[in-house]
Amino acid sequence: MSTRTLPTHHDEYEALAVAWAVNALEPADQAIFEAHRGECERCARTADAALETVAALAYAVPDVAPPA
Amino acid sequence: MRGVEMVADAPRPSRSDEDAWCAALVERVAAGEAQALEELYDRYARPAYSLALRVTGDPTFAEEAVQEVFLAVWRQPARFQAGRGGFGTWLLAAVHHKAVDAVRREEAVRRRALALQAVQGLDASPQAGRPEHEVEERMRGERVRRALLALPESQREALTLAYYGGYTQREIATLTGIPIGTVKTRMHRAMHNLRSALDDLADPLQIGSRAGGDAADPARGGGMDQHVNDDGEGGRR
């Protein structure tokens, strides 16, 4: 994996939560955040809130019917 | 503005009728009822495909992403029954993940252009004869586009390159020549501002709305981990 050090400040996890929700983390950061969110209710909620916002973005794209 | 910290106490929308409708269908899928899966497909295949097509730029990849996720609903419906988040939120997150995986495998040069186009040139096509939920989705989409366009351009770029382009923050930094710390900050602010804007535009469709008061929800245990990790096909990259 990685030798990356863990975040030392909770705000760093909060920032990771946002990037996590849009699949924009590097693998090492992703693993770090996912481990953290399993243990931290606050970050789990932050991540869920970000996911809800991100789901709205899905509706902003041009509407195309799937192949039948 | 309310600062950039991201809603640690974020209240969720109360479970909508649609969430309840979906939950009932997922129950039936869990009981082995194929018709229920078809109803979910009829409802969500179109927005799911539209998203996957935007991210991948490729109809084949897009269709595969959608099919894989609906297959997962069929095979492991329990993963979709957790109490947090609506089915639609979960489904679109899973489709997004599949689409991003596909595009990262492809390493397509067109990703950037596609991402930057994502909120431009979107026409309002006729709504007559469309199912009501599709009309609602079009209105929903219009609100989200307005909220996106209201973001400062630097924030919009960071968010759209990530979400529609499938780039990691590090890739965005390389691509744009902006320090990664700045990319992170912009993305964080973009998300915060977008949420605020969507709240301001909130209506009965409750996209990103604040229901208020929902501070502690015991149902929010650990369910969303299912969201993309345990599909056995390698994690996010």
Side-chain angles (χ1 to χ4, degrees):
Chain A
M1 281 296 286
S2 160
T3 56
R4 188 191 192 287
T5 52
L6 293 175
T8 53
H9 198 278
H10 200 82
D11 289 350
E12 294 183 51
Y13 283 116
E14 298 261 324
L16 290 179
V18 169
W20 175 84
V22 289
N23 280 307
L25 291 178
E26 301 297 325
D29 283 338
Q30 184 185 322
I32 288 167
F33 179 73
E34 289 180 354
H36 177 73
R37 90 185 270 281
E39 301 164 351
C40 176
E41 178 65 13
R42 180 176 149 192
C43 281
R45 278 192 277 133
T46 301
D48 284 355
L51 275 185
E52 297 273 357
T53 302
V54 160
L57 287 178
Y59 290 98
V61 303
D63 178 41
V64 183
Chain B
M1 279 285 138
R2 279 174 279 182
V4 295
E5 76 282 2
M6 194 48 212
V7 293
D9 58 341
R12 268 192 320 154
S14 56
R15 257 181 121 72
S16 66
D17 288 347
E18 178 161 333
D19 285 351
W21 180 80
C22 288
L25 284 171
V26 176
E27 288 269 331
R28 287 167 54 199
V29 170
E33 200 181 321
Q35 172 67 27
L37 186 70
E38 281 181 34
E39 288 184 39
L40 285 169
Y41 185 86
D42 287 346
R43 171 67 185 78
Y44 281 106
R46 190 172 180 123
Y49 179 77
S50 299
L51 172 63
L53 183 63
R54 171 52 68 186
V55 173
T56 64
D58 182 301
T60 305
F61 289 154
E63 195 177 359
E64 281 173 6
V66 173
Q67 297 297 338
E68 283 176 23
V69 170
F70 277 97
L71 190 62
V73 176
W74 178 244
R75 286 181 173 164
Q76 300 174 278
R79 287 166 55 194
F80 297 74
Q81 289 176 306
R84 62 212 265 164
F87 176 83
T89 295
W90 189 97
L91 185 95
L92 292 167
V95 168
H96 183 255
H97 181 62
K98 293 282 187 194
V100 165
D101 269 359
V103 84
R104 287 183 190 167
R105 281 196 297 269
E106 276 305 296
E107 204 49 54
V109 176
R110 63 179 181 275
R111 281 158 64 190
R112 182 181 190 195
L114 278 172
L116 294 175
Q117 285 165 14
V119 292
Q120 297 163 2
L122 307 172
D123 56 350
S125 42
Q127 297 178 7
R130 301 276 294 281
E132 187 178 352
H133 72 76
E134 288 182 13
V135 176
E136 285 174 8
E137 270 161 28
R138 190 165 287 283
M139 291 165 56
R140 178 190 298 196
E142 188 50 46
R143 279 195 307 278
V144 178
R145 280 192 288 279
R146 265 188 277 137
L148 267 175
L149 290 169
L151 293 176
E153 187 173 353
S154 61
Q155 293 178 23
R156 184 168 63 247
E157 180 181 71
L159 190 62
T160 55
L161 283 174
Y163 186 69
Y164 299 121
Y167 291 104
T168 66
Q169 290 180 323
R170 188 174 307 283
E171 288 172 329
I172 292 169
T174 303
L175 192 66
T176 59
I178 293 164
I180 188 163
T182 305
V183 172
K184 289 177 180 177
T185 303
R186 286 178 179 176
M187 198 176 290
H188 199 177
R189 288 190 173 144
M191 190 78 84
H192 177 83
N193 289 335
L194 182 64
R195 184 177 178 88
S196 297
L198 290 171
D199 286 348
D200 291 344
L201 296 169
D203 69 356
L205 284 174
Q206 63 155 350
I207 297 301
S209 67
R210 292 162 187 270
D214 179 27
D217 179 350
R220 299 161 79 75
M224 266 320 239
D225 290 331
Q226 60 195 343
H227 147 177
V228 259
N229 302 332
D230 54 351
D231 59 10
E233 296 186 12
R236 298 149 174 250
R237 284 175 282 167

